Amino acid sequence: MAGPILIVNPNSSAAVTEGIRKAVAHMAPAAGPGFEVTDLPASPATIASAADVALAGMGFADLVATRPDAAAFVSACFSDPGVELARERVRQPVIGIQEAGILSAMTRADLFGIIALSPRAIGRHRVRVRAMGVEGRMAGEVALPGVSAEESGLSDAVYDQTRALGRELVAMGAGAIVLGCAGMAPRRAALQDDLGVAVIDPVQAAAGMALGAVG
C-alpha cells in the first residue's frame, strides 16, 4: 500500500494542526493513501513575516527529506513555505495550499478573492499570484487586522470580521473566496452559507490534488 500523504502545518500551533486534521479526515479514501498531519514545533505559532516563512520553509523541506515513505507532501501555510526547496529534494509531489486554493477557486468562478490574516501578508501572496500568472482572475485581496492562525478558526469576533471582508470581496466581483490561512478551516462551511458564494479551504484543495497526483 502507498505511504501516507503528509500534510505539514509549518507553524507550531497544535490547535491549527488539529483543525487541519479534521478538515481532511472525510477525504481519506477507503483504499489508498491516508493523511498524516503534523506540524513544526520549532516554528512560530503564526507565520506572520518573511523571516517566519523562510524558517518554516527550511523546516518543511528538511522534514520531507526524511520521509521517503510518504506518497506526497502538502505545505499547509498560505505562503507555501518550502515548496520549491522540497521539490528540489524529493521526487514525490509537493503541493502548496496557496497554489492549490487559487487553482480550485478558478474552477468555481471567473474571479476569486483572498482573505489574508494580516495586511503585510498580502505582498507575499501577491508575489505567488504573479508567478502563477493569474492576476487578471483576482478580484482582490483583503486582510484581517493581524490575528493569529488559531484565532482565525476559533474566535467568533474574528469570524464576524472575516464575514465582513468576504462581503467586500463579493461586492468587488469575487465569485469564489480563498481562505488565506490553514487555521480558517473550521469556518469554511459557515462562511460559504453566509456569503452565498464558493469558499475554498486551501488545505482541502491541496489534499484533493495530492490524492489525484498519487492515484
Side-chain angles (χ1 to χ4, degrees), residues 110-134:
D110 179 39
L111 296 177
F112 68 90
I114 299 171
I115 300 175
L117 278 187
S118 72
R120 63 178 173 167
I122 292 177
R124 295 196 306 273
H125 298 166
R126 189 63 61 89
V127 170
R128 202 149 190 85
V129 169
R130 284 199 301 267
M132 293 175 69
V134 298

Side-chain angles (χ1 to χ4, degrees), residues 1 6 18 26-27 30 38 48 58 65 81 83 85-86 99 102 104 129 135 140 151 162 171 182 206 213:
M1 179 179 291
L6 183 63
E18 183 59 23
H26 71 286
M27 298 174 64
T38 189
M58 290 299 297
V83 167
L85 286 172
E99 285 186 336
I102 289 171
S104 180
V129 169
E135 282 185 292
E151 286 177 318
T162 305

Side-chain angles (χ1 to χ4, degrees), residues 52-115:
D52 293 339
V53 174
L55 176 65
M58 290 299 297
F60 174 75
D62 288 345
L63 176 59
V64 304
T66 69
R67 293 296 304 270
D69 61 302
F73 303 100
V74 173
S75 177
C77 168
F78 204 72
S79 293
D80 290 352
V83 167
E84 287 82 5
L85 286 172
R87 286 172 179 166
E88 289 184 346
R89 299 179 68 176
V90 301
R91 298 181 63 183
Q92 301 99 310
V94 180
I95 299 169
I97 65 169
Q98 182 177 347
E99 285 186 336
I102 289 171
L103 291 171
S104 180
M106 291 193 302
T107 70
R108 302 293 302 275
D110 179 39
L111 296 177
F112 68 90
I114 299 171
I115 300 175

